Amino acid sequence: MESRKESMRLNALIPAPISTVLAEGDFALKEESQILVDPGNEELAGVGRVLAEQLRPATGYALPVVTYRVVRRTGDLLLTGAVRGATLGDEGYELDVTPEYVRIAALRPAGVFWGAQTLRQLLPAAVDRPEPRPGPWTIPAMVVRDRPRFPWRGFMLDVARHFFGVEEVKRVIDLLAAYKMNVLHLHLTDDQGWRIEIRSWPRLTEVGGSSAVGGGDGGFYTQEQYAELVAYAQARYVTVVPEIEMPGHTGAALASYAELNAAGEAPPLYTGTEVGRTTLCTDKETTYQFVDDVLHELAALTPGPYLHIGGDEAFLTDPEEYRLFIERIQDIVHAHGKLLVGTEEIAQARLLPTTAVLHWASALATQAVPQGAKVIMGPATRAYLDMKYDASTQLGLDWAGHVEVPDAYAWDPATQLPGVGESDVLGVEALLWTETVCSRADLETMALPRLLGIAEIGWSPAAGRGGEEYKLRLAAHGPRMEAMGRQFYRSPTVPWE
Ligand code: TNX
């Protein structure tokens, strides 16, 4: 019975690894287990500390991180950069589970971190509980070799329509890391709110940060809080990509500074949910000074390579002026040492090959391809986690239709949009707009379990993918999501355990 359960666990990994070969015997994590890392590799020691933090609450074990200079004991976890073969890439790993030890080897610490997340899923679901449990913490012996299909496996959280605080976003980062998603795209500004402190333009948060959809209190991150989030994400190999939307979706900025408006007068803050109502003035120099100041401060807070500028639904901007505006902003982003990301609409402008565009609803992203720019696939009909699951879903919108759990899973980034093939795709992104999403419970109910399907599409090879087999694996994650204390939608399409 126990062994049947164990093999279920082995077959329930999400995202599915490239290869798993079972061996003889079992490994058991013990009270005395240690995490051994290569000497002199501070980054790997950091991975060890995060893994220890992840395993400590449920096991109650200390799991000290020590270097290989100490003698290895039965039950130890070994994290190492010593690995043969260059086929693992920047994020791949080899996980070797033997009755004596677990060894996670990768060319880079990121790979070791992802291997450690696989290790968590191989342990009983109770390992994700917040309080000590009896165990036993055993895993069948095996060898896993794995690496991701795409380098960008993203999740967008709209903190502008409704604000989510530092602790809530940290819980989102935990979730992303557990499923090997490596980009948190934060939609920091929109008509209804400005959520990041900009010291050179303080009214953005004083005024623009003071409200939300429906007229709530709003909120914003101070630069210290934001830096804390970025560091928390970085320790989990999640890159934060900050988005300052423009030229449309700028109502909060326009309400904060009269001089950004054509008429020189600031309109009141908007608390409704219509789109396409605002634009920056593309013919005012103040606008470019404003954008330059904002992106300058944001670049300084951003260790990752990308700044996102949105670019969608600029219905009030003249099309030719829109193109020139995007090109000028692209130059500003580069001047601050960063690469540009925007929505598919920006592909109408002249793009640099380092720029990336998000495909969400039209065929405009195909215009990025001949320019050498890459495409991030977030088709609304598949990857918009704010779409209702079905007609009975309380939260969410339905302009792109209903997105049930199988819909979010049954698509391929390399064939989704004619004219955009495998080599044009940078990766995938699941997006959660928050017009109707106000709390952590709302957020989780919409994101889970669809996020897991997008995570798998971004990481695992497409060959052999099958919806029925996936449902069985997903079912096994019900107890895991429960153990983590997450809300999730118990889709009737999934045979939950
Ligand atoms: C479209 S997606 C938008 C957002 C809305 C979303 C709601 C995109 C780039 N623009 O402003 O929040 O639909 O689903």
Side-chain angles (χ1 to χ4, degrees), residues 69-81:
R69 291 197 190 91
V70 307
V71 179
R72 192 180 84 205
R73 299 193 297 233
T74 298
D76 283 352
L77 307 176
L78 283 45
L79 311 183
T80 181

Side-chain angles (χ1 to χ4, degrees), residues 158 161 187 190 245 249 275 312-313 343 345 358 360 384 386-387 397 399 433-435:
D158 170 8
R161 268 58 174 271
H187 182 73
D190 211 302
E245 168 106 74
H249 291 274
V275 296
D312 64 289
E313 298 170 330
T343 55
E345 290 83 351
L358 169 79
W360 63 283
Y384 266 33
D386 63 319
M387 291 300 119
L397 308 175
W399 66 262
W433 303 99
T434 58
E435 285 95 333

